[in-house]
Amino acid sequence: MTPGPPRLARPLIVLSQVRTASNALTAILGEEYGNARLFHLTSGDHRDPTAFEGFQRDARAEGHEIYAGHFLFGVHRHLPGPADYATTVRDPVDRVWSMFLAAGKGLDVPLDFDRWLAGFFEARDGMVKRLNGFGLIPGRPEVHDAATGRVMETVPTVGPDHLARALDNIEAHIPLVLLFGRQAENLVLLREHLGCGPLFSLGRQHVNQSGAARHRPTPAQAQAIEAANPLDRQLYEACRARFQARIAARDPAFRDEVRIMTLVNGVLSEPGLDTMDPARLFQRLMALTGELFRRGDQATAIEVLHRFSSKHGVGEDFCRGVLKLVRDFGCVEAVEREERVFRGKFGGMVKGC
């Protein structure tokens, strides 16, 4: 059977900013690493092994390699050794508007936007706050300080010094600052950092969607969000500039991998669907690769199929079919690569292809 990804040299804490596709990213990492290697922070009470107290116990024993969830910067102090962070930043207007739509979902009485914006801690420079180590922990209504591990008696007001500290923390501890909306580049960068296989989820590539793209704020609401998030705006623009410069400096091989992963993401993305049914996924994959073959772009079709055949949980019949196609249309290197995948996953000689 295919071995899992190599063990990480140091643990990775995925510090999930609110409304930055963190559930999808956790699902993607979970499919690659499994529950034995990934800890997902949830909102249970202190007895729940996946609540924050459970994380504290687990971290002391370094029980997992990846810790994902709405953590605060500074929780690495619970680990016995050094750790890296990854986080995703999002345009403040889009992020806060998505939070507002999610908060009001299913309520009998609509939320009052102005009151919500003024009263919800995360809605005002929440990214800078979290990167300074204070914010909300899942399942807890109080504002916590990660440096002390205590509830904050007064809600802090953030200023330029906090923005500078957030950027310093990124520079020192967060080698991966990803950009919401750039999923293909994000996943290729993350895969490189982890040294694992292709990163995508077969069924949960896009989950917990708020509908923010379909229901935009009014100009007055967008202006109010901007006014409440001046530091988050500066943080986001600084991170976006760094991200774009990093991508621009990469070689053609990186850009080609992003191109392939963009096609993979397209197969896994359908408007209005949080989860992808296996039959629907297969239908969409066959439609894409069939079109690529019709265009004479066999090489791209083979690369897309290879990303799926390499995934854990993809069955022998599918992989056998991919191998047959690659033998019919692929180059020698592609055939040898696919045979290695098949033998690694299912063992023995490759027969019946």
Side-chain angles (χ1 to χ4, degrees):
M1 298 301 290
T2 306
R7 185 169 181 84
L8 301 183
R10 51 205 288 175
L12 179 71
I13 300 168
V14 182
L15 186 157
S16 300
Q17 299 281 0
V18 178
R19 304 308 300 178
T20 55
S22 59
N23 283 325
L25 183 56
T26 300
I28 289 166
L29 289 170
E31 286 186 23
E32 182 66 12
Y33 282 86
N35 293 334
R37 300 175 69 180
L38 181 142
F39 180 98
H40 183 200
L41 180 67
T42 66
S43 58
D45 65 25
H46 67 279
R47 295 164 297 182
D48 192 324
T50 61
F52 189 72
E53 291 82 0
F55 158 73
Q56 292 174 304
R57 294 188 294 269
D58 188 276
R60 284 193 292 271
E62 209 164 357
H64 289 78
E65 295 169 65
I66 299 176
Y67 295 90
H70 293 305
F71 288 106
L72 307 174
F73 179 81
V75 296
H76 62 280
R77 70 185 181 85
H78 294 287
L79 290 157
D84 289 329
Y85 286 83
T87 194
T88 303
V89 296
R90 184 177 183 180
D91 180 279
V93 172
D94 293 341
R95 191 180 86 95
V96 173
W97 182 247
S98 180
M99 280 194 287
F100 173 68
L101 292 181
K105 195 172 183 179
L107 296 181
D108 294 332
V109 179
L111 281 177
D112 180 274
F113 172 78
D114 293 326
R115 182 178 299 176
W116 175 86
L117 182 63
F120 185 48
F121 181 79
E122 280 277 351
R124 304 180 311 283
D125 288 322
M127 291 192 294
V128 166
K129 291 171 179 174
R130 193 167 288 276
L131 290 173
N132 271 265
F134 45 84
L136 302 175
I137 292 175
R140 311 293 189 274
E142 312 90 354
V143 176
H144 289 254
D145 181 355
T148 65
R150 298 175 181 173
V151 174
M152 303 187 80
E153 294 182 5
T154 59
V155 176
T157 300
V158 291
D161 288 348
H162 294 95
L163 173 61
R165 192 175 301 123
L167 292 171
D168 287 346
N169 288 338
I170 287 173
E171 190 68 30
H173 296 281
I174 309 182
L176 284 170
V177 180
L178 309 175
L179 206 65
F180 183 90
R182 302 287 290 272
Q183 191 175 49
E185 291 102 325
N186 290 343
L187 293 177
V188 175
L189 288 171
L190 185 56
R191 177 188 180 183
E192 287 183 346
H193 180 83
L194 296 173
C196 63
L199 285 175
F200 59 93
S201 170
L202 294 170
R204 293 171 58 81
Q205 186 83 347
H206 299 274
V207 296
N208 203 18
Q209 301 176 61
S210 68
R214 299 188 299 275
H215 306 285
R216 300 298 303 160
T218 66
Q221 289 170 327
Q223 186 176 13
I225 294 172
E226 285 282 8
N229 289 271
L231 302 178
D232 269 12
R233 171 56 66 192
Q234 293 176 70
L235 175 79
Y236 175 76
E237 296 301 339
C239 291
R240 180 170 68 167
R242 292 181 186 183
F243 182 91
Q244 291 174 332
R246 183 177 188 175
I247 295 300
R250 296 305 303 267
D251 61 14
F254 177 87
R255 292 192 287 273
D256 194 55
E257 182 64 17
V258 169
R259 179 180 67 89
I260 298 300
M261 289 304 299
T262 299
L263 292 172
V264 169
N265 187 51
V267 170
L268 299 163
S269 310
E270 190 163 0
L273 286 184
D274 269 359
T275 58
M276 180 70 67
D277 177 83
R280 182 62 176 158
L281 185 156
F282 183 78
Q283 181 184 42
R284 291 174 63 83
L285 178 59
M286 291 302 100
L288 170 65
T289 53
E291 178 60 26
L292 290 169
F293 273 112
R294 281 191 291 274
R295 293 180 193 170
D297 193 356
Q298 291 93 340
T300 296
I302 286 170
E303 289 300 319
V304 171
L305 288 167
H306 174 69
R307 300 306 180 277
F308 283 89
S309 65
S310 300
K311 285 287 289 180
H312 304 303
V314 173
E316 183 174 349
D317 289 345
F318 177 86
C319 292
R320 192 179 295 279
V322 171
L323 180 55
K324 184 176 187 308
L325 281 172
V326 174
R327 282 178 167 172
D328 288 343
F329 298 102
C331 64
V332 172
E333 292 80 3
V335 172
E336 292 175 347
R337 180 184 64 178
E338 207 62 43
E339 288 179 347
R340 286 195 300 272
V341 168
F342 193 94
R343 290 192 180 98
K345 292 179 75 171
F346 308 110
M349 299 298 293
V350 183
K351 300 176 182 179
C353 298

